[in-house]
Amino acid sequence: MERSLRNVLVVSFGFLLLFTAYGGLQSLQSSLYSEEGLGVTALSTLYGGMLLSSMFLPPLLIQRLGCKGTILLSMCGYVAFSVGNFFASWYTLIPTSILLGLGAAPLWSAQCTYLTVMGNTHAEKAGKRGKDVVNQYFGIFFLIFQSSGVWGNLISSLVFGQSPSQDFTETLPEEQLASCGASDCLMATATTNSTQRPSQQLVYTLLGIYTGSGVLAVLMIAAFLEPIRDLQRQSGGEKKSPPFWSTLLSTFKLYRDKRMCLLILLPLYSGLQQGFLSGEYTRSYVTCALGIQFVGYVMICFSAADALCSVLYGKVSQYTGRAALYVLGLWGVADAVWQTQNNALYGVLFEMSKEAAFANYRLGEALGFVTAFGYSTFLCIHVKLYILLGVLSLTMAAYGIVECVESKNAIRPCDPGHANPAEDKEAQTKM
């Protein structure tokens, strides 16, 4: 197997194992720990930590530890969060949520940087366009990664489905159904029978499976992922490390590029819609109307569509371009666009400042998550839907401006054969 592809697969399956655990836990937080809003608060705290770490940590950690070291260190925070759920309280979930949040931005920035470098390195050797190979690698990654939602939610559904106290055939009263979905206001349905919590034994069983999956992910990355510095050294591409303060502030410096200012809405909307999905949709549409045991099955449908479309878009984008994919609208189908095309877009447009660019992406996405979870208990569902629609409209308008400007720009950093970084940087900042 080709070397770059092998490393891409190692990263992909490592994330599959890690997010089989975390994805399942995230979908259940608002339903399992609804008392006093503990679950939603934990998620909000988690993405608040991610927001802070996005500002400073990713470029710094990647520069000092490399992509592999950063991924390993960050994964340990996810495992700690799974362990914290064994003793769920304000004193365990909040600290472990902060720990996970601090590691989330460096984890994703390192992953995106790793795939971008792998794609460009292989493209240079094979004589292909860098952006096509990068798109393909992100498609492969998200095909494998997004399937974690299938496995994680299938595990939770099978485990919670063993509860003898649940009557799946029970007909819910019309009064309860009337307060579900878009009509749900301020967690009005939190005390209904359909949201009955599973037994503690089943919760512990699920957490044990999830924690084991996270530990396996750490071991896989440690044993099989090839450090990117080794690859750069072999190809003669290793560069001198920039000064400490330059690395620390590189995330903010990139905002001198007008494209970054316009594109910040893309990750913001991505965070908002994912926050709505895990914090509102699972509770108000699924748990309220069907019961917590059906959350996993519903999320499996979402994750399956997301995974299949991720690899599809990696291939289709070579023929249709990015813009055509952004017009698609169904949720699982659309999230595959946000995950594959957004990451590839940042890697292509800001190839000379990959670490800072992906840190900015996680910063915007974390801001979206924090906002979604922050107003979770204050606004009705139908108001949140209007907010999502408004932000999406602004996002697509800003993205359209960037694409129009890019189409008129003859010099692009990712074009093969263009090897003048100084001209690239000047072209980016003068837009």
Side-chain angles (χ1 to χ4, degrees), residues 102 112 133 168 253 284 315 321 342 352 363 375 393 411:
L102 291 176
C112 291
V133 179
F168 294 174
K253 288 181 179 179
S284 299
K315 293 287 188 181
N342 285 2
M352 302 304 299
L363 173 63
Y375 61 52
S393 301
I411 301 177

Side-chain angles (χ1 to χ4, degrees), residues 200-254:
Q200 195 62 33
Q201 180 181 358
L202 291 179
V203 173
Y204 283 152
T205 299
L206 181 64
L207 292 176
I209 296 172
Y210 283 164
T211 303
S213 181
V215 171
L216 283 176
V218 174
L219 295 176
M220 173 178 285
I221 295 296
F224 300 111
L225 186 65
E226 189 173 4
I228 206 169
R229 284 175 176 169
D230 293 347
L231 295 175
Q232 291 177 322
R233 190 177 297 114
Q234 291 173 12
S235 62
E238 189 176 21
K239 300 178 181 179
K240 183 179 179 180
S241 298
F244 173 82
W245 287 109
S246 177
T247 300
L248 189 64
L249 298 176
S250 60
T251 299
F252 299 101
K253 288 181 179 179
L254 204 54

